[in-house]
Amino acid sequence: QVQLVESGGGLVQPGGSLRLSCAASGSIFSINAMGWYRQAPGKQRELVATIISGGTTNYADRYADSVKGRFTISRDNAKNTVYLQMNSLKPEDTAVYYCNAVLKTLKNLVLQNYWGQGTQVTVSS
């Protein structure tokens, strides 16, 4: 069994910053990629940022155009944790943010998608 536990959401004023964290735990064999998606009311879930790793090396990341230059994704492979530093937040960044991991478990060596429960980010004055 695998769990993704998110933290760090909340209410922030426009122009402010927040840092999201997501820790993966359980019977994990290896993690291929970790990332963040978000879903605003009435909209589809969309990719925010993702980081791909091989072993202990993080070698590729990808961002939605709407967050480039403002958000930074990073990962601590030793802790199976991914972070999202969000700066210069805008009201349109308001959404539920979901952590995602693409990984293999000890019981199933096929890559599978796992999701966290979501954390609310609200940008408002």
Side-chain angles (χ1 to χ4, degrees), residues 46-117:
E46 62 176 1
L47 171 72
V48 177
T50 186
I51 185 165
I52 299 170
S53 303
T56 59
T57 303
N58 296 321
Y59 58 81
D61 55 26
R62 183 160 61 102
Y63 296 89
D65 288 342
S66 59
V67 306
K68 284 181 181 176
R70 300 188 298 122
F71 291 10
T72 302
I73 190 170
S74 60
R75 180 175 157 184
D76 185 333
N77 291 321
K79 296 181 179 179
N80 286 339
T81 299
V82 65
Y83 305 95
L84 185 68
Q85 178 65 43
M86 304 185 293
N87 299 327
S88 302
L89 283 160
K90 303 175 181 180
E92 51 262 45
D93 294 317
T94 296
V96 178
Y97 284 69
Y98 295 92
C99 177
N100 171 262
V102 181
L103 57 84
K104 297 177 182 179
T105 67
L106 295 173
K107 292 186 177 180
N108 188 349
L109 298 181
V110 175
L111 287 173
Q112 300 175 80
N113 255 323
Y114 287 85
W115 294 92
Q117 80 283 359

